[in-house]
Amino acid sequence: MVDITLSPSFPALYPRSGVGLLAMTGLLNPAADADLERAKRELEAGLRQRYQAGGKDAIRALPTIQAYAAFYKQFGKTYHVQLQTESVVLQGKSLPSVSALVDIMFLTELKNGLLTAGHDLDAIQPPVTIDVATGTETYNMMNGKETTLKLGDMYMADAAGVISSVLYGPDARTHITPATTAALFVVYAPEGIARDAVLHHLTEIQAGALRFAPGGQTALLDVFGL
């Protein structure tokens, strides 16, 4: 079981927001896969076909992008999935190749527009708490640089500290590695993102992970706060 607690501070400040969680065990994380690379190229081509003519305005008009953009705007920031979509559509950029589990997460994130973080479940020290930052919490980001959370940011922490936040992403301590065989995928859903959309997004990640490990087990698939 995955021990998850939703802090009372979260619904108090963000009553129409939530966090979706998918925990899986018995996984494999190969370095590369031809079918996955093909799926990435197909997604990129489809996005360009749909939005290239309309440019940035067409991308920024998407309801999902608008929901996240409204949250990021509070902090003077721009939603990074919006920027990534613009780079794929308008600059011809491609999704990176990291590893199967990370690539599945990135692919699904770009497809659905929902902010997603991935963690090595075995590196997490329970219990896990979903909370709102007071502006004093610190952690080491993926690049190893220490950062302090901004007041009001949504974040998750385990017994050892912060593992991810909306504004700064996953931490260095629990990120997915080539050796990962158990994973926790986290979807932060600000106001305007429906519970069903989060669940659908997580089931797509689940299906992608199971393609590499048909015997994989799902320990948790739920949305907290919505």
Side-chain angles (χ1 to χ4, degrees), residues 81-123:
V81 177
Q82 172 194 316
L83 297 175
Q84 186 177 35
T85 305
E86 291 173 1
S87 73
V88 168
V89 172
L90 304 176
Q91 300 172 28
K93 299 280 184 70
S94 294
L95 283 167
S97 295
V98 181
S99 66
L101 292 177
V102 175
D103 289 0
I104 289 164
M105 181 180 68
F106 284 162
L107 172 70
T108 312
E109 183 181 59
L110 190 64
K111 177 185 176 184
N112 298 327
L114 302 186
L115 180 65
T116 311
H119 302 276
D120 188 310
L121 188 60
D122 290 330

Side-chain angles (χ1 to χ4, degrees), residues 16-226:
R16 289 176 289 278
S17 300
V19 177
L21 299 174
L22 168 65
M24 301 183 70
T25 60
L27 301 178
L28 297 173
N29 192 21
D33 177 76
D35 289 341
L36 188 52
E37 289 300 312
R38 190 176 304 111
K40 287 192 284 186
R41 302 294 86 80
E42 290 174 354
L43 173 63
E44 292 158 3
L47 290 172
R48 290 170 190 137
Q49 185 175 26
R50 283 197 295 273
Y51 303 119
Q52 200 164 50
K56 291 182 179 180
D57 289 343
I59 295 168
R60 295 175 184 182
L62 294 170
T64 298
I65 296 295
Q66 290 185 341
Y68 283 99
F71 182 87
Y72 275 68
K73 188 176 181 180
Q74 302 175 77
F75 305 96
K77 294 183 177 292
T78 303
Y79 182 34
H80 84 269
V81 177
Q82 172 194 316
L83 297 175
Q84 186 177 35
T85 305
E86 291 173 1
S87 73
V88 168
V89 172
L90 304 176
Q91 300 172 28
K93 299 280 184 70
S94 294
L95 283 167
S97 295
V98 181
S99 66
L101 292 177
V102 175
D103 289 0
I104 289 164
M105 181 180 68
F106 284 162
L107 172 70
T108 312
E109 183 181 59
L110 190 64
K111 177 185 176 184
N112 298 327
L114 302 186
L115 180 65
T116 311
H119 302 276
D120 188 310
L121 188 60
D122 290 330
I124 292 174
Q125 301 177 31
V128 173
T129 302
I130 301 167
D131 209 340
V132 177
T134 63
T136 61
E137 301 87 354
T138 63
Y139 76 116
N140 291 328
M141 297 183 294
M142 279 280 291
N143 61 9
K145 182 180 178 181
E146 184 178 80
T147 190
T148 301
L149 296 186
K150 290 187 177 295
L151 175 67
D153 193 6
M154 300 176 187
Y155 78 97
M156 287 181 58
D158 69 0
V162 175
I163 62 172
S164 68
S165 77
V166 168
L167 299 180
Y168 297 114
D171 71 326
R173 174 173 55 89
T174 70
H175 73 278
I176 292 173
T177 74
T180 295
T181 57
L184 177 67
F185 297 99
V186 181
V187 179
Y188 289 96
E191 182 175 353
I193 304 299
R195 177 185 177 89
D196 286 349
V198 175
L199 289 172
H200 177 75
H201 179 78
L202 291 173
T203 57
E204 287 194 327
I205 294 175
Q206 178 190 46
L210 289 174
R211 193 172 73 80
F212 294 98
Q217 299 293 315
T218 298
L220 176 68
L221 175 55
D222 202 355
V223 181
F224 295 77
L226 278 176

